[in-house]
Amino acid sequence: MQFLRCRVSGLGHMRSRTRPRLTLTAPGWRRRLGPRRLFCSPTISPLTLCLSFYLCGISFSLFFFFFLLQVYEQYSHEIIQAMERGTLRGDLGWLLPCFSEDITRVLEREVRAIQAEVRAKHKEAAFVEIVPDSSQTAKLALENMKSLFRTAEYNQLTALLQHGNHSEAYKLGCMYIDSGHYEKAIAPLSSCLQKREQMYGKDHPEVAVVLDKIGRVYFQLGDMERAVLFLSRAVTIFQQTGPGEKRLDYADVCESLGMVYREIRQPTKALRLLKISFDVRKELLGSVHSSTVRVLDSLAAIYSSLPVRRAEAVPFLQELLEIRTLVFGEHTREVCGVLLRLASVYQKIGDATHALDTLQRLVPSLHRCYSSNSLTLAKHLSTAGTLYLELRQWQSALSCLRECLDIREKLLGLEHHDVVPTLNRLVALHHKLGIPLPPHWPS
């Protein structure tokens, strides 16, 4: 891999007063070192300088891999710890940038050594320009993260073969789940389940925890029948024995089975289980915890989809709105999304007053959250305009739909399939209000 690149400019002016300029480029350091240029005396051959930098680049690449091994060992330990905690998928979000940053710092030290070597041979080399090429370190970090995962997998398999206990099998299964290798997770988790059943009995909470993991794997693989089988057994164990200190595990199992029932369109069972999970999480973690809010959002979505029980979604959406406002602030996209859902529910259950109040709060926030040429803004304005039409608020509907059309026409064109429905609504609304159509609109 080529980490150093040399280029020479100004060679056409060797006989003039302009001296040739040599530029050294390496991954990602303009922000740290700033632009620096190497000016050479006409008495020194530019070809000699290029060759010097090229030879130093070879040496640099060899040293790079030596330092990479040190970084590798450090992050291998971090990966294994994250795998053991079951947080590998989430921790990769900060491990990968840190890994790339550390490699960049190693390269920076090497470049300084190369600069010193070149300047020792050529006293005229006063300044060097460092040009960013961060794609190299990012690519290298991604490639080595893959090898780090393989190392963690190898270490866990070795520990499993050496000790053969249920804990190592469980850690390996969780590691596969966190990395998205769901098929590989089934075998170690099944082995762990068998050993825990032999050790604790078939109706122990420790067995239920493994059943939950296996059920989630089958859910991710789309095998809903087996997911229901394992998760239902886990819920039954917790209900019969009592969750005790594993109340959060009980909440996890209830949420998992509830989401499976939602997927296979059994909303009554899904609501019952999700309410249990929500109550436990709210009591133990608080109402603003991310997992509590996630279950609250699911409850609101299920109630909103049921015509007979849609009104029951209102208190859940109101609570969700309060939390989003508290956490993110009033004029944010998260709050706008909840407002739009709440206005829709109010309109469908016939509560026009609250629907209009919610829309009046929503539309100004939309303009503060999105740029004037955002297709997402156009989408939300289209939904708001449609709700205004349903509420027979013609002028407000005309304003929202017209702004939506202007954005989509500008970005997509008047004949785009996303533009046509909005245009049809506006044409019908213009005819209803007796407003002449713009000349370029179809009649």
Side-chain angles (χ1 to χ4, degrees), residues 97-116:
C98 291
F99 188 49
S100 178
E101 179 74 10
D102 284 346
I103 293 176
T104 300
R105 293 187 178 187
V106 170
L107 293 174
E108 183 177 357
R109 290 195 297 268
E110 279 301 303
V111 164
R112 289 174 179 172
I114 293 171
Q115 292 172 356

Side-chain angles (χ1 to χ4, degrees), residues 32 112 129 193 304 390:
R32 289 197 184 88
R112 289 174 179 172
E129 180 184 21
L193 176 63
S304 300
E390 297 291 339

Side-chain angles (χ1 to χ4, degrees), residues 374-375 377-383 398-410 418-419 422 426:
S374 169
L375 286 175
L377 173 61
K379 177 183 176 181
H380 291 330
L381 287 172
S382 175
T383 305
L398 182 65
S399 175
C400 289
L401 292 175
R402 185 58 190 267
E403 186 177 356
C404 169
L405 180 66
D406 291 341
I407 296 172
R408 287 179 171 174
E409 182 182 359
K410 179 180 179 180
D418 286 337
V419 179
T422 306
L426 277 171

Side-chain angles (χ1 to χ4, degrees), residues 58-222:
I58 297 175
S59 173
F60 166 82
S61 299
L62 295 175
F63 276 105
F64 167 80
F65 286 107
F66 169 73
F67 285 107
L68 178 61
L69 289 177
Q70 298 179 358
V71 178
Y72 179 91
E73 291 297 330
Q74 174 188 351
Y75 280 87
S76 176
H77 178 68
E78 293 289 341
I79 289 287
I80 293 173
Q81 284 189 337
M83 176 269 298
E84 291 176 348
R85 293 192 304 265
T87 61
L88 179 60
R89 180 181 290 274
D91 288 353
L92 282 178
W94 64 267
L95 279 172
L96 183 57
C98 291
F99 188 49
S100 178
E101 179 74 10
D102 284 346
I103 293 176
T104 300
R105 293 187 178 187
V106 170
L107 293 174
E108 183 177 357
R109 290 195 297 268
E110 279 301 303
V111 164
R112 289 174 179 172
I114 293 171
Q115 292 172 356
E117 183 179 349
V118 172
R119 289 169 182 172
K121 294 181 179 178
H122 307 286
K123 301 300 182 182
E124 295 84 356
F127 300 99
V128 175
E129 180 184 21
I130 306 298
V131 181
D133 188 14
S134 58
S135 61
Q136 296 292 334
T137 49
K139 179 181 178 182
L140 184 65
L142 287 170
E143 291 174 350
N144 282 275
M145 271 297 176
K146 294 178 182 178
S147 65
L148 283 173
F149 171 76
R150 287 193 291 269
T151 302
E153 180 182 16
Y154 171 79
N155 292 340
Q156 199 63 49
L157 284 170
T158 303
L160 178 61
L161 292 174
Q162 290 176 349
H163 304 289
N165 57 39
H166 63 90
S167 178
E168 299 298 336
Y170 181 77
K171 290 178 183 178
L172 180 60
C174 290
M175 186 191 72
Y176 282 133
I177 293 174
D178 290 338
S179 61
H181 296 83
Y182 299 109
E183 297 88 350
K184 292 183 177 181
I186 295 176
L189 288 176
S190 299
S191 174
C192 175
L193 176 63
Q194 182 179 3
K195 293 175 181 178
R196 289 195 180 185
E197 286 177 339
Q198 294 173 356
M199 183 179 298
Y200 301 110
K202 293 188 176 182
D203 296 326
H204 194 276
E206 292 290 345
V207 174
V209 172
V210 185
L211 289 169
D212 175 40
K213 292 291 184 183
I214 298 176
R216 292 188 189 192
V217 168
Y218 281 119
F219 175 72
Q220 293 294 334
L221 294 175

Side-chain angles (χ1 to χ4, degrees), residues 46-58:
L47 181 60
T48 302
L49 281 174
C50 286
L51 182 59
S52 299
F53 275 101
Y54 178 76
L55 294 176
C56 290
I58 297 175

